[in-house]
Amino acid sequence: MGLYERYILPRLIRCACGSKPVRYQRKKVVPEAEGVVLEIGMGSGENLPYYDPKRVKLVYGLEPSEGMRALAEEKVERSGLLLEWLPFPGEAIPLEDNRVDTVLLTYTLCTIPDRSQALREMKRVLKPGGRLLFCEHGLAPDASVAKLQRLINPLWSPLAGGCRIDLPMVDLILNAGFVIDELNSMYLPSTPRPFGYNVWGKAFAKEAV
């Protein structure tokens, strides 16, 4: 791991993912987490202040970046949550089947190389009746914005830890075998449109036929 990835990139991501519009989105989603929670890409712990400790028994923080985990230490201590770090990528979740009540996915799927595999892993570890809570930025519905996203992405992605701004997030979730039972979308205020289209909601794993 180079100096950029270990020291500079985590701070840049923390700054971008801690903006006021993004914090407001987190407040909409994170408090719904309950039981045993698996947070995918916990990063620097930006979601920790929004958990409801009365509803959460344990949080597994999946985060492969040592730099991100180091930045999260203070927030973990303040949260009062029982947290266990899992220093692994999203494609290889080291938990048994049907282990968690909630999978929390916020501004993370865009950086995972094999997104389909990661979503299958999330589905695998969810208990029957468990929920995937998601809030992601992605491909905009407006053709002009989507075109700009595709132009920007090859320059943006290498600087942003592999983050892609042109992914069809809803399609990815559905294609992995989830059923979305709550879905919202909007352009975040005070955010450039190519970076600001958000989708968020809840999903459950579709049973195999």
Side-chain angles (χ1 to χ4, degrees):
M1 180 183 292
L3 292 176
Y4 178 80
E5 290 81 6
R6 184 169 184 176
Y7 296 108
I8 299 173
L9 181 60
R11 286 163 175 80
L12 291 176
I13 293 175
R14 181 175 63 176
C15 181
C17 292
S19 67
K20 185 175 180 179
V22 171
R23 292 199 307 270
Y24 190 76
Q25 291 298 97
R26 296 182 191 278
K27 290 179 184 178
K28 297 176 183 178
V29 176
V30 180
E32 296 293 321
E34 61 182 0
V36 177
V37 180
L38 169 63
E39 181 173 339
I40 304 296
M42 178 165 272
S44 59
E46 298 302 317
N47 284 329
L48 287 170
Y50 307 116
Y51 278 102
D52 182 349
K54 295 179 181 179
R55 303 183 67 181
V56 175
K57 296 178 182 178
L58 167 67
V59 177
Y60 289 111
L62 191 82
E63 178 51 60
S65 168
E66 182 182 353
M68 283 295 193
R69 296 196 304 272
L71 287 177
E73 287 180 2
E74 185 177 341
K75 290 189 178 73
V76 172
E77 291 179 6
R78 289 202 307 262
S79 74
L81 294 166
L82 180 61
L83 185 141
E84 181 177 332
W85 285 112
L86 302 176
F88 294 86
E91 299 94 334
I93 299 172
L95 296 175
E96 63 269 26
D97 295 358
N98 306 323
R99 176 68 183 99
V100 303
D101 302 287
T102 306
V103 172
L104 180 64
L105 180 66
T106 62
Y107 304 104
T108 299
L109 198 58
C110 60
T111 64
I112 298 176
D114 192 340
R115 293 164 289 277
S116 297
Q117 171 62 17
L119 284 162
R120 287 193 294 269
E121 281 285 275
M122 296 176 216
K123 181 183 175 186
R124 178 184 64 78
V125 300
L126 265 179
K127 294 178 182 178
R131 283 292 185 269
L132 169 68
L133 305 177
F134 63 91
C135 183
E136 294 283 345
H137 67 93
L139 186 66
D142 300 285
S144 59
V145 180
K147 182 179 180 180
L148 190 54
Q149 287 176 313
R150 293 187 176 106
L151 287 173
I152 293 172
N153 193 72
L155 300 174
W156 166 257
S157 188
L159 296 174
C163 170
R164 287 187 57 178
I165 57 175
D166 62 347
L167 294 173
M169 292 298 183
V170 172
D171 289 344
L172 288 169
I173 292 169
L174 292 174
N175 291 340
F178 286 96
V179 176
I180 295 175
D181 54 358
E182 184 178 316
L183 180 63
N184 304 277
S185 63
M186 67 179 292
Y187 287 99
L188 297 187
S190 307
T191 306
R193 283 201 153 197
F195 300 93
Y197 183 70
N198 268 222
V199 294
W200 71 98
K202 303 176 185 178
F204 61 92
K206 182 167 57 178
E207 294 184 9
V209 178

